[in-house]
Amino acid sequence: MVDSQYFLPNDIGVAALDCVEAFGLLSPQEKLYAHYLSHASWYGGLAVLLQTSPESPLIFVLLQRIFRKQSPSQLEVVATAAGLSSEEYQAFLVYAAGLYANMGNYKSFGDSKFIPNLPKEKLDALVRASQAFKDDPTEMAALWDSCSCPIYSLMDKQKQLGLGDKGITTYFSGNCGMEDAELAQKFLDSKKLSAYNTRLFKRENGDKTCYEVRLASAVKKDCAVEGECDFCCGCFDFEGKEFSVKRGDYAPIMERVCHYLQKAEAHAANDNQKKMLEEYRRSFSLGSVEAHKEGSRFWIKDKGPIVESYIGFIESYRDPFGSRGEFEGFVAVVNKAMSERFAKLVSSAEVLLPELPWPREFEKDAFLKPDFTSLDVLTFAGSGIPAGINIPNYDDIRQSEGFKNVSLGNVLAVAYSTNKEKLTFLGEEDKDLFVKWKSPSFEVQVGLHELLGHGSGKLFVRDVEGKFNFEKNAVVNPETGELISSWYQDSETWDSKFSSIASSYEECRAECVGLYLSLIKDVLSIFGHEGQDAEDVVYVNWLSMARGGLLGLEFYTPESKSWRQAHMQARFVILRVLLEAGEGLVTLKEVAAADGKPDALVALDRAKIRTVGKDAIRRFLCKLQVFKSTGDVDKGRALYEHYSTVGESGTHNFLRLRETVLLRKEDRKMFVQANTRINEESVELIEYEGNASGLIKSFVERFHDSDKLEADLLELRRLDSSCWC
Ligand code: ZN
């Protein structure tokens, strides 16, 4: 029996990344720009196959060839005839979807290998019975023979990514170890070369060791003159070893990236975007990281674009040495409809802020809209999709020129939503409501949290000249009934004073503002919810907060008694406050499930939200704000730590509940992304079903030069393997 961590379960969550509303509202020019950038991203993302494992490009080509000839439903007929059970065929579809979603046969989160959850003989029978095999038996047999063993192999070294004996990597040739990586880094540093877009191949030539540093570039020819770019190709002696710097890694892929970036340039919205793309093109064409940095500088200057993107060798988590970047490319777009609703919320701030449970004097003199951008992802190519981005990674640029911090709305929405069968800890009737209203209620909560949550409340400050920003003899602390007696001294800030609890406490305050203001009819109207629908949105919003508090326990470490995630801690704190309110508002029970394993059930009494619930949040939120405004770190910390404690409280054993949460944790979801296609001058969005077949189809239809592309990938793979000793 294979350990289940090495395959993806048949019922793994697969969800379509919804971008319809946002994409539909783009102008024709914005759509073209997004279309060409998406193409550049998808083609570039194929480099990840070559960055993951030797067999990944082979498996990709094998799957593309099989599914280009037969759709998943057509192939199912073949599978049944070849003796596969429906579970075995589903396991194959899940494996294929997993390979596409991770751009290789290692999980992008956790870096462990996954293999198909069906016997090798069955997969062998299916491959040989496929139409693709019948049409071209020699080629397909060769392809299948070259990858069938590595697909299934779980030798210790192959179980995870790593260098030398520790695991598999293709950032280095197989004969490299940590000492080679260290020496190469010294060499690169001496040449002021960045490792981001490189790989290292070692060859023993008699008694001489030669290292080849390969730069990702469309141009294969080495640079002829010094100064043509920021480095010089060629051979160098370094500490008794030979290093040769060569261009042309992933050349046919980089060529396609450059081609589409150039196409996108014609539809750029402004000069910054044009210059940014020009520099990226120079980077991918010549292999220059300096050019990519230049492009990133223009990218930072392109503030609040309708179509946002970033592309290149970015994150270095998967290089065992930690300095080589994995390719990623994304295109995300402003959801104009959502932005409009958020803008309405901001323009209602004047009437909404006085509804918050603190005295007028505790509110800012003028409302300042927080810097918050929510984008919907159209395309995210690479090994996985994050819920937010904070780039560039170049430290020198971050410090002097800044960075961008963006929340990816439709990714978050999918991550928190789920199909009914997968919903944990809720009663049957709540599950239906949850599925229906989770996304709309999430949007209301996000808007309130980000804009009026983080945007509200005042800090009392005594400045360097001794002046106060409030009337010292007039402001009364509503908690004590006395004049306020503490404040921030000039140099003190919220973060410096509340240090370790500052971020979670602030998230908790913003979440409470969201819960509290979501009760207001006019707020729900802004988001288009009236009558019973509005009531359901409120109910699901509060219910999902209570459930979120329970799920949050996953991010608590009992050994160190610490929380690892600010938002999840905040939700747990709110759950505690709601439970404490009593009167049957929220009930949390440990139950025995049909599968015999421990389970839990969260319930919320709808009739008590506006009475017991509102009152509990009002009192707690007021305390949070008063301690924050007055810089009363002692009381603030005591309050927050009291509710953050994970132990036994009343009838609840939260440590035991945490075990249940871990036991019933859902696997990471896979996302199905749309394609774009030019249709008589206009760009069409093509969507796919949110399941393994939909994910497979999206990849089959994504590349329009498939024959040539697959040949190029096999050739790149062959070039790599000639260097693996
Ligand atoms: Zn927040």
Side-chain angles (χ1 to χ4, degrees):
M1 262 284 284
V2 173
D3 186 339
S4 66
Q5 71 161 305
Y6 295 110
F7 53 75
L8 306 172
N10 269 10
D11 64 349
I12 191 168
V14 185
L17 202 52
D18 178 11
C19 193
V20 179
E21 182 179 51
F23 188 80
L25 293 169
L26 295 180
S27 72
Q29 179 184 332
E30 288 160 354
K31 283 183 182 171
L32 282 163
Y33 183 68
H35 167 76
Y36 287 120
L37 283 179
S38 290
H39 269 51
S41 299
W42 284 122
Y43 279 99
L46 297 172
V48 176
L49 295 165
L50 293 142
Q51 290 183 302
T52 302
S53 71
E55 63 275 14
S56 289
L58 303 173
I59 308 171
F60 177 87
V61 173
L62 179 81
L63 293 173
Q64 288 288 95
R65 291 200 172 157
I66 290 174
F67 286 113
R68 281 206 289 131
K69 289 279 161 111
Q70 283 166 309
S71 70
S73 53
Q74 289 168 330
L75 192 65
E76 186 167 16
V77 180
V78 176
T80 311
L84 276 74
S85 69
S86 64
E87 283 78 30
E88 286 166 341
Y89 184 62
Q90 177 64 17
F92 170 62
L93 293 184
V94 164
Y95 177 77
L99 185 115
Y100 288 126
N102 293 280
M103 262 297 126
N105 58 345
Y106 286 75
K107 295 180 193 168
S108 63
F109 292 89
D111 290 341
S112 62
K113 183 168 178 171
F114 58 93
I115 66 168
N117 188 21
L118 72 162
K120 191 174 165 188
E121 312 80 67
K122 293 289 181 81
L123 182 50
D124 182 81
L126 175 61
V127 170
R128 289 177 196 281
S130 69
Q131 192 60 45
F133 199 97
K134 286 183 185 152
D135 289 352
D136 191 354
T138 328
E139 270 264 325
M140 282 296 283
L143 187 55
W144 172 236
D145 287 346
S146 67
C147 64
S148 60
C149 283
I151 283 178
Y152 277 94
S153 170
L154 278 179
M155 291 188 332
D156 280 346
K157 183 180 151 79
Q158 284 161 339
K159 283 180 176 164
Q160 64 287 312
L161 298 178
L163 188 56
D165 306 331
K166 294 214 169 65
I168 289 295
T169 180
T170 47
Y171 287 102
F172 298 86
S173 55
N175 55 353
C176 285
M178 202 40 96
E179 56 302 335
D180 299 296
E182 278 159 9
L183 182 69
Q185 191 60 47
K186 277 209 240 166
F187 166 75
L188 292 169
D189 290 344
S190 79
K191 291 276 161 207
K192 294 201 165 39
L193 257 178
S194 163
Y196 270 117
N197 64 343
T198 69
R199 296 196 293 165
L200 188 73
F201 293 82
K202 175 164 106 170
R203 230 168 297 189
E204 308 283 356
N205 220 340
D207 55 357
K208 183 109 179 135
T209 307
C210 307
Y211 293 98
E212 188 177 302
V213 176
R214 278 201 210 155
L215 309 168
S217 69
V219 170
K220 290 190 205 158
K221 206 167 103 278
D222 292 346
C223 52
V225 269
E226 201 158 346
E228 179 187 313
C229 42
D230 47 293
F231 56 87
C232 215
C233 305
C235 279
F236 307 90
D237 267 327
F238 186 79
E239 300 197 355
K241 307 275 161 46
E242 188 182 295
F243 276 86
S244 76
V245 179
K246 280 191 166 305
R247 274 175 172 162
D249 208 8
Y250 327 115
I253 292 176
M254 293 297 116
E255 214 172 278
R256 288 173 171 89
V257 174
C258 291
H259 170 78
Y260 288 111
L261 289 180
Q262 187 164 23
K263 291 250 185 196
E265 240 172 85
H267 305 284
N270 56 51
D271 252 20
N272 276 326
Q273 286 182 357
K274 271 207 181 78
K275 287 182 186 147
M276 162 187 100
L277 294 181
E278 249 168 54
E279 292 294 340
Y280 289 164
R281 217 148 42 77
R282 194 160 71 87
S283 171
F284 302 135
S285 153
L286 300 175
S288 161
V289 170
E290 278 308 314
H292 196 266
K293 284 183 164 185
E294 274 307 309
S296 301
R297 293 192 167 96
F298 288 113
W299 178 71
I300 292 166
K301 286 185 199 144
D302 184 28
K303 294 223 189 317
I306 299 294
V307 179
E308 182 63 286
S309 69
Y310 199 60
I311 187 165
F313 296 88
I314 318 292
E315 302 292 352
S316 53
Y317 313 125
R318 288 183 116 190
D319 165 15
F321 190 69
S323 64
R324 287 157 188 80
E326 185 174 78
F327 194 94
E328 73 177 43
F330 76 80
V331 184
V333 302
V334 167
N335 185 328
K336 291 177 184 174
M338 199 194 282
S339 300
E340 206 175 292
R341 296 190 284 271
F342 284 1
K344 270 196 203 153
L345 209 52
V346 167
S347 63
S348 309
E350 239 169 77
V351 289
L352 292 175
L353 290 173
E355 297 287 332
L356 290 168
W358 46 80
R360 172 74 197 84
E361 298 79 30
F362 283 68
E363 195 46 71
K364 288 193 192 73
D365 305 330
F367 176 68
L368 287 173
K369 181 187 168 291
D371 184 23
F372 167 69
T373 319
S374 175
L375 301 173
D376 282 350
V377 169
L378 168 66
T379 296
F380 210 116
S383 65
I385 311 182
I389 46 170
N390 192 321
I391 36 183
N393 287 333
Y394 304 121
D395 282 329
D396 45 342
I397 298 185
R398 286 179 74 87
Q399 299 207 352
S400 54
E401 282 146 278
F403 53 88
K404 287 190 191 179
N405 194 354
V406 173
S407 157
L408 300 174
N410 58 348
V411 178
L412 274 171
V414 171
Y416 290 128
S417 74
T418 189
N419 49 347
K420 194 180 167 191
E421 298 70 45
K422 294 252 166 182
L423 266 176
T424 48
F425 312 132
L426 293 178
E428 279 307 306
E429 51 306 354
D430 279 346
K431 285 183 184 172
D432 292 323
L433 278 174
F434 202 90
V435 167
K436 183 164 179 205
W437 293 110
K438 183 63 193 100
S439 285
S441 76
F442 183 69
E443 186 187 303
V444 173
Q445 178 68 14
V446 167
L448 290 169
H449 171 119
E450 297 288 351
L451 300 167
L452 300 177
H454 291 313
S456 62
K458 173 174 179 168
L459 301 187
F460 297 127
V461 183
R462 177 184 184 271
D463 74 12
V464 70
E465 280 144 20
K467 268 199 268 166
F468 293 89
N469 69 342
F470 61 101
E471 289 217 38
K472 203 167 157 261
N473 298 317
V475 182
V476 173
N477 180 334
E479 292 295 311
T480 60
E482 292 164 11
L483 288 176
I484 65 166
S485 54
S486 59
W487 42 80
Y488 293 78
Q489 300 295 343
D490 173 57
S491 61
E492 290 174 335
T493 64
W494 162 249
D495 284 321
S496 72
K497 246 182 131 84
F498 283 71
S499 61
S500 60
I501 61 162
S503 64
S504 182
Y505 186 113
E506 173 60 10
E507 292 309 332
C508 187
R509 201 183 63 84
E511 288 287 56
C512 286
V513 169
L515 281 184
Y516 196 71
L517 293 182
S518 73
L519 297 172
I520 297 175
K521 221 172 137 262
D522 290 347
V523 167
L524 294 158
S525 298
I526 288 176
F527 289 90
H529 309 305
E530 310 283 352
Q532 185 56 41
D533 286 357
E535 286 306 305
D536 286 345
V537 167
V538 171
Y539 177 68
V540 168
N541 193 32
W542 281 62
L543 179 64
S544 81
M545 186 63 75
R547 177 174 177 262
L550 180 63
L551 297 180
L553 285 166
E554 181 192 338
F555 298 87
Y556 176 77
T557 309
E559 291 73 26
S560 57
K561 294 193 165 48
S562 61
W563 284 90
R564 307 188 303 275
Q565 219 286 338
H567 297 82
M568 300 313 262
Q569 179 182 358
R571 287 168 198 146
F572 177 73
V573 165
I574 294 172
L575 169 64
R576 296 285 306 279
V577 170
L578 296 175
L579 284 168
E580 191 189 66
E583 298 186 49
L585 172 69
V586 169
T587 47
L588 170 60
K589 280 189 295 204
E590 292 182 68
V591 295
D595 62 7
K597 294 179 197 154
D599 202 349
L601 189 67
V602 188
L604 171 69
D605 185 342
R606 188 190 270 266
K608 292 187 175 131
I609 296 175
R610 288 176 189 278
T611 52
V612 184
K614 185 179 177 186
D615 199 46
I617 294 297
R618 182 180 54 73
R619 279 182 279 124
F620 181 62
L621 181 54
C622 187
K623 282 198 179 78
L624 288 177
Q625 186 57 49
V626 167
F627 300 149
K628 182 181 176 186
S629 286
T630 57
D632 191 342
V633 64
D634 292 340
K635 289 214 183 83
R637 188 176 278 279
L639 175 78
Y640 204 68
E641 285 177 352
H642 166 71
Y643 288 113
S644 300
T645 307
V646 178
E648 282 186 52
S649 165
T651 55
H652 303 114
N653 182 332
F654 289 108
L655 283 170
R656 208 165 54 211
L657 281 162
R658 177 180 165 274
E659 297 292 326
T660 305
V661 169
L662 291 178
L663 177 77
R664 302 208 171 260
K665 191 175 84 157
E666 197 189 335
D667 289 284
R668 278 199 90 88
K669 281 198 193 71
M670 298 195 283
F671 293 104
V672 183
Q673 300 184 55
N675 283 323
T676 52
R677 183 167 56 197
I678 296 194
N679 209 349
E680 292 170 7
E681 294 305 290
S682 74
V683 184
E684 190 188 350
L685 187 74
I686 302 150
E687 293 176 276
Y688 300 90
E689 280 176 36
N691 54 34
S693 299
L695 207 158
I696 291 166
K697 275 190 213 157
S698 74
F699 269 90
V700 168
E701 294 179 9
R702 192 150 278 153
F703 308 98
H704 44 73
D705 56 348
S706 292
D707 287 325
K708 179 78 174 71
L709 181 68
E710 288 160 18
D712 285 345
L713 282 171
L714 293 179
E715 175 59 12
L716 285 170
R717 161 58 171 72
R718 195 192 59 76
L719 285 172
D720 278 9
S721 66
S722 67
C723 295
W724 290 320
C725 311

